Amino acid sequence: MKAEKQYIDIFTLYEETICRHSAEVLNTPRAKAFADFERIGFPTRKDEKFKYTDIARLFEPNYGLNLNRLDIPVNPYEVFKCDVPNMSTAQHFIVNDAFYNKASSAPSNNLPEGVIVGSLKESAKEKPQLIKQFYSQLASTADNAITAINTMFAQDGLFIYVPDNTFIEKPIQIINILRSDVDLMANRRILIVMGENAKAQLLLCDHAMDNVNFLATQVSEIYVGRGATLHLYELEETHTSSVRLANCYVRQEENSHVLLNGITLHNGTTRNTTQVTLGGAHAELGFYGMAIADKNQHVDNNTFIDHAAPECTSNELFKYVLDEHATGAFAGLVLVRPGAQHTNSQQTNRNLCATREAHMYTQPQLEIYADDVKCSHGATVGQLDENALFYMRTRGISKKEARLLMMFAFVNEVIDHIRMDALKDRLHLLVEKRFRGELNKCQGCAICK
């Protein structure tokens, strides 16, 4: 209980400080989250869902927490330069776990009337009833320690609201920047509400500025209204001393369309948990993920797609390329509830281990309680095809280049599901550089240096 005790003690001592620097709506669920955390503690590896990621060990180091919300000495508009050609986005920043809302010389984002992209804390003060309706409703603290500890400590984050019948033409880009001179724990909260028939594209990028140990918890709650469309892309490019523990909860209503695409290009330890509920008829979900890991990096994705309504479609594809001593894990459950007739669901996990020292653990699962459905699932784990390598070498291609070409072709399918052409083209280049061992570096960006 060593890991749990330090956070129990911190919350007990500093609860008043935490609440004073946040908003009432965010403070309301803290007591229950604390009680739940005391009761359940961190999961052990005996828990099937956390068999391959030792959560308690990740929380044992003595991380600092910025509970007094001291200013972080960084201007993200000066240090971050995104050089994705032809991609015009409405850029916003989160520094550690606080929305950066200071004035800048950046051009106006000119979002449509009624759209909110801003601080969760400030939005909770200005529109408490709106935030109260959605905050901490999907993300239950009763059975998940990461969600509980995030709810205990989160003081700010991101709020995006798109009103009914509103189309945001320009993609919204959120850059999460980890910045600290000492080892730091950041607890980031994200709340996204899409009104009926609303449409938006969102790109979330994770970067780490400093070579210290970071632990970032992130809890996202996403509501997609009737007939709404949301494309959400997440790109992780941190470093080997970073830990990312992210829980994402999505609820889709009737005739909604959601595209989720998560890519881990560079990291230390990553554990992503995603739960999607298809709660209205004719809802559609495209869920794609990719991880590239080497050295001793670790990537663990746990997904749950809940078909709770009839006539819904989900298509899930995750691919991993593991090199050197990297480890990967994927566990995906698709549940078709009674009455969810005419469900169409496909789940695929394909994995490539480039060395014998790399390890991949995969567990695709289907639970079906309806009799008129079309569902499939499968997983493969393999190494590079020696015959294909030999064939390419007979055509004058070096062994190293042949390996790179095969790995690039393997992950290409996930990238091709991206609907933003400029981002797709940039990711093709970043993936190639990643396989070549080069820095994922944007020209002029102080973060990537």
Side-chain angles (χ1 to χ4, degrees):
M1 293 292 289
K2 175 186 175 183
E4 289 89 347
K5 186 177 186 306
Q6 66 172 319
Y7 294 102
I8 290 170
D9 291 346
I10 291 172
F11 186 82
T12 302
L13 286 171
Y14 295 101
E15 181 179 5
E16 188 276 333
T17 301
I18 295 168
C19 294
R20 178 160 39 89
H21 290 282
S22 190
E24 183 179 351
V25 176
L26 278 63
N27 293 335
T28 300
R30 293 192 201 278
K32 181 181 183 303
F34 178 62
D36 288 336
F37 181 72
E38 278 192 303
R39 174 177 55 82
I40 63 178
F42 289 119
T44 69
R45 299 184 73 169
K46 294 181 181 179
D47 185 330
E48 187 67 28
K49 290 183 179 180
F50 295 90
K51 187 175 181 180
Y52 302 108
T53 303
D54 190 345
I55 297 296
R57 181 184 62 80
L58 298 175
F59 279 92
E60 284 178 358
N62 185 21
Y63 293 100
L65 289 100
N66 186 13
L67 302 180
N68 280 303
R69 315 315 297 168
L70 301 176
D71 282 341
I72 306 299
V74 62
N75 184 341
Y77 290 99
E78 293 180 354
V79 300
F80 182 84
K81 301 290 189 299
C82 182
D83 71 341
V84 180
N86 305 317
M87 188 171 79
S88 174
T89 62
Q91 280 191 2
H92 301 271
F93 294 87
I94 297 176
V95 179
N96 295 332
D97 48 20
F99 187 84
Y100 188 87
N101 55 11
K102 295 182 181 179
S104 76
S105 58
S108 173
N109 289 319
N110 294 322
L111 294 172
E113 182 179 356
V115 173
I116 300 173
V117 179
S119 162
L120 179 59
K121 177 179 72 173
E122 297 306 318
S123 297
K125 292 177 180 178
E126 297 169 4
K127 300 180 181 295
Q129 292 305 314
L130 177 60
I131 303 300
K132 184 179 180 180
Q133 182 181 353
F134 298 101
Y135 183 74
S136 200
Q137 300 300 310
L138 287 179
S140 172
T141 61
D143 58 358
N144 191 291
I146 296 169
T147 297
I149 205 167
N150 178 280
T151 305
M152 288 161 53
F153 289 108
Q155 294 168 287
D156 194 8
L158 170 70
F159 177 53
I160 295 179
Y161 175 70
V162 186
D164 293 352
N165 305 306
T166 300
F167 171 49
I168 303 179
E169 184 175 356
K170 179 183 288 189
I172 299 170
Q173 184 178 12
I174 307 297
I175 300 99
N176 299 318
I177 296 176
L178 293 172
R179 165 74 178 94
S180 179
D181 296 326
V182 298
D183 295 351
L184 181 75
M185 175 180 175
N187 299 288
R188 184 187 310 126
R189 197 73 179 219
I190 296 175
L191 176 60
I192 301 172
V193 179
M194 301 285 297
E196 292 187 5
N197 302 309
K199 294 183 179 181
Q201 297 181 86
L202 178 61
L203 169 61
L204 298 176
C205 306
D206 282 9
H207 296 277
M209 278 193 65
D210 302 289
N211 192 26
V212 301
N213 296 313
F214 289 108
L215 188 155
T217 74
Q218 177 177 293
V219 172
S220 306
E221 294 177 285
I222 302 173
Y223 297 83
V224 186
R226 185 161 57 97
T229 299
L230 174 65
H231 295 173
L232 175 59
Y233 308 102
E234 288 196 83
L235 175 62
E236 182 181 8
E237 282 187 280
T238 54
H239 56 55
T240 55
S241 298
S242 295
V243 175
R244 169 189 160 99
L245 304 173
N247 290 355
C248 180
Y249 303 85
V250 182
R251 179 173 177 85
Q252 295 185 231
E253 300 301 340
E254 180 182 355
N255 290 310
S256 62
H257 302 265
V258 170
L259 171 63
L260 302 177
N261 195 308
I263 294 177
T264 300
L265 271 187
H266 203 274
N267 73 317
T269 297
T270 297
R271 160 74 186 208
N272 297 316
T273 300
T274 306
Q275 298 183 14
V276 183
T277 300
L278 300 167
H282 303 285
E284 294 184 3
L285 169 68
F287 190 6
Y288 309 100
M290 182 184 84
I292 300 172
D294 53 18
K295 303 181 179 67
N296 292 300
Q297 293 167 340
H298 177 84
V299 183
D300 182 354
N301 281 288
N302 189 285
T303 71
F304 174 37
I305 300 175
D306 184 355
H307 281 264
E311 308 281 353
C312 292
T313 300
S314 66
N315 191 343
E316 181 179 16
L317 171 65
F318 271 73
K319 289 192 171 187
Y320 289 63
V321 176
L322 306 176
D323 205 348
E324 299 179 332
H325 293 85
T327 58
F330 171 83
L333 171 61
V334 176
L335 172 63
V336 182
R337 295 188 180 273
Q341 303 293 355
H342 304 133
T343 289
N344 189 338
S345 176
Q346 293 183 330
Q347 181 193 76
T348 306
N349 174 224
R350 297 194 182 105
N351 310 284
L352 185 61
C353 293
T355 66
R356 295 189 180 277
E357 291 74 28
H359 295 284
M360 181 68 201
Y361 307 94
T362 180
Q363 188 179 17
Q365 304 168 74
L366 268 176
E367 289 188 22
I368 302 174
Y369 300 97
D371 54 13
D372 188 3
V373 301
K374 183 179 180 181
C375 299
S376 65
H377 72 304
T380 60
V381 179
Q383 295 184 316
L384 293 172
D385 188 331
E386 292 295 334
N387 291 329
L389 281 173
F390 176 77
Y391 176 81
M392 295 172 74
R393 294 188 68 188
T394 63
R395 295 300 184 268
I397 301 174
S398 70
K399 182 177 181 181
K400 180 180 179 181
E401 191 69 18
R403 290 177 84 253
L404 291 173
L405 289 172
M406 290 182 66
M407 290 190 291
F408 184 72
F410 180 77
V411 299
N412 209 32
E413 185 178 1
V414 173
I415 300 175
D416 283 343
H417 282 287
I418 292 174
R419 307 286 176 82
M420 295 167 58
D421 290 339
L423 176 61
K424 183 191 300 186
D425 293 342
R426 179 61 182 170
L427 280 170
H428 282 305
L429 177 60
L430 287 176
V431 168
E432 181 181 353
K433 292 174 69 176
R434 177 70 175 89
F435 282 139
R436 294 184 184 281
E438 301 173 6
L439 292 176
N440 300 315
K441 182 176 179 180
C442 297
Q443 185 176 4
C445 179
I447 295 175
C448 300
K449 290 182 178 178

